Amino acid sequence: MIYMDHSATTPVDKRVLDFMLPYFGEKYGNASSLHSLGQEAKKAIEEARVKVAKVIHADPSEIYFTSGGTESNNFAIKGVSFADKDKGKHIITTKIEHDCVLNTCKWLEKRGFEVTYLDVDKHGLIDIGDLESSLREDTILVSITHANNEIGTVQDMEEIGKTVKESNAYLHTDAVQSVTKLPVDVKKMRLDMLSISSHKIFGPKGVGCLHIRKGVKLDPLAHGGGHEGGLRSGTENVSGIVGFGEAMKIGEEERPKAMPRLQKLRDKIMDNVLKIDNTWLNGHPQKRLPINANFSFKFIEGESLVLLLDAKGIEASTGSACSSKSLKPSHVLLAIGLKPEEAHGSLRLTLGKDNTEKDADYLLEVLPEVVSELRKMSPFKKDYGEFE
Amino acid sequence: MYTQKVIDHFMNPRNKGKPREYDAVGKVGNPICGDVMYIYIKVNGNRIENIGWETMGCAAAISTSSMITELARGKTLEEAEKITKKDIADALDGLPPIKMHCSNLAADGLKKAIENYRKKVEK
């Protein structure tokens, strides 16, 4: 099997797994316990906090462990909104955010907050001037994803940071897709908050963190025994946290070698897939995650494409409505200007460290055949025809 | 998510493609929704002698296109137009609930093809 869906999830790195295993059966202490077993767990959590902080150039005290990206994004957005609701009720985000950001914003809109959803251009980039003119006195938060999970477009976070710093608003970024793939520096980007998920970086599922800059006040989502500085109560997921810390360390250490290799492989895939007729690239040609390629193939539908690729041993994903629970095509592809019928025929390939040259060659052999097979079945060959 | 039968008809679709000779076509669906089906019929006397299809859509859309050709071939027009969405889904051992309406278009496509055939004959 060739796995090319690393933006969905990744396998746990063997070294990470080995690092975690003692924390299930032997070192199972509750970090709040006074005895040595508890203190051993506490120490392990603090070591993981140091590892995570180092990668993003933060202070360990600014790292708050959570259950992952969705919780971190909810925590950042709701946490600031509730803490700062007397300062203002305006939030700025973009039209291409992950559902966990968009649906949190929609939920807040029902509770009296006002949200501006910034447009993006055909490559998925926001316009800094747009952001600037959307900032108001009562804007309390700007939340913009660093690298988009579907089309891989990378926003200029330093520019965004500079712009937001001129205002009263806090800046949050979802860095779930970019950490360990791109340099991420909370100081250079002037971030107040940043979300990370462990299972996207060869760590275990169910763990992640929110970075909260010192001095930024958030209301907690979960109240209880006062864990994580009183901001995220609940007994810590010790094995998960230590695995996450180790995955961050390994990912960042390997980044300088791994990413150029994967980018080269991705470029080879991009160059060759784009030779298929009626096919184009979604997202920015250069400002994109080194592991991401996203294509649209006209006249076919993405779920069929993904299932036929799966039958040939290649795991990928699509922004087609037919593969989603909502039966709506990807809001990201629509936001960059694709027509619904074009959004249905999309394919996302996201590489990871296990992918080889041989995998890319096999994909390039199989994909054109599968596309052609589906197009032969399709009533459309040159255009979408006319419909009553 | 899909039954073995759906996967079988999706991976090995029966009677796919536009037949060389046909009397009428039924076009259903909409590219905006992601599923479009063209059902082609060749009628001999009052019976469906040949049936083929062209479909853009998900595995449910393709497998239902394939299945209706097995259900309708050799049937009289009156018999064939009685085939329902449920008949097709049942013959495939079921479809995911969310796919029952959006992708299960083959019965509508066949009805439309029969309707178009009758209009043509009346002329």
Side-chain angles (χ1 to χ4, degrees), chain A residues 69-197:
Chain A
T70 292
E71 186 192 329
S72 294
N73 287 340
N74 268 265
F75 182 19
I77 299 166
K78 290 177 188 161
V80 165
S81 300
F82 288 138
D84 280 2
K85 60 180 185 298
D86 297 333
K87 287 190 205 158
K89 288 198 152 188
H90 181 235
I91 298 167
I92 299 173
T93 187
T94 80
K95 287 190 176 161
I96 61 165
E97 296 303 305
H98 191 277
D99 279 339
C100 67
V101 169
L102 292 177
N103 287 333
T104 300
C105 287
K106 281 181 202 151
W107 186 84
L108 285 168
E109 281 179 301
K110 283 189 218 146
R111 281 155 185 82
F113 289 84
E114 200 187 321
V115 183
T116 300
Y117 300 90
L118 297 175
D119 283 320
V120 293
D121 67 13
K122 64 175 180 178
H123 292 138
L125 286 174
I126 64 149
D127 181 87
I128 298 289
D130 244 12
L131 169 63
E132 216 167 352
S133 57
S134 302
L135 282 161
R136 312 190 315 213
E137 273 205 355
D138 63 339
T139 307
I140 50 172
L141 176 69
V142 176
S143 179
I144 295 175
T145 293
H146 185 200
N148 183 267
N149 59 313
E150 290 185 39
I151 56 174
T153 299
V154 180
Q155 306 292 339
D156 188 343
M157 286 315 297
E158 289 188 30
E159 246 345 274
I160 292 170
K162 260 185 231 164
T163 309
V164 176
K165 266 297 147 292
E166 302 292 311
S167 75
N168 301 322
Y170 286 135
L171 176 60
H172 164 252
T173 193
D174 173 348
V176 160
Q177 297 293 344
S178 58
V179 162
T180 73
K181 280 135 204 139
L182 301 170
V184 174
D185 185 326
V186 294
K187 292 195 182 79
K188 277 192 191 158
M189 295 173 173
R190 303 185 201 206
L191 294 170
D192 297 298
M193 287 161 286
L194 172 145
S195 304
I196 311 176
S197 168

Side-chain angles (χ1 to χ4, degrees), chain A residues 167-274:
Chain A
S167 75
N168 301 322
Y170 286 135
L171 176 60
H172 164 252
T173 193
D174 173 348
V176 160
Q177 297 293 344
S178 58
V179 162
T180 73
K181 280 135 204 139
L182 301 170
V184 174
D185 185 326
V186 294
K187 292 195 182 79
K188 277 192 191 158
M189 295 173 173
R190 303 185 201 206
L191 294 170
D192 297 298
M193 287 161 286
L194 172 145
S195 304
I196 311 176
S197 168
S198 155
H199 76 101
K200 310 283 194 194
I201 60 161
F202 297 88
K205 292 176 179 61
V207 61
C209 76
L210 180 66
H211 154 269
I212 307 173
R213 185 176 60 75
K214 225 170 270 175
V216 177
K217 298 254 178 309
L218 268 75
D219 272 8
L221 290 186
H223 300 84
H227 306 76
E228 296 294 291
L231 283 180
R232 206 273 187 175
S233 286
T235 298
E236 296 88 345
N237 171 9
V238 183
S239 55
I241 288 170
V242 300
F244 172 37
E246 192 61 11
M248 284 288 278
K249 179 173 163 257
I250 293 172
E252 189 64 6
E253 277 170 7
E254 294 184 344
R255 180 170 64 80
K257 273 200 173 163
M259 288 309 136
R261 182 184 75 84
L262 290 176
Q263 181 161 347
K264 230 178 111 190
L265 210 57
R266 190 279 314 269
D267 287 347
K268 175 177 167 173
I269 290 171
M270 245 159 52
D271 292 348
N272 284 287
V273 170
L274 291 174

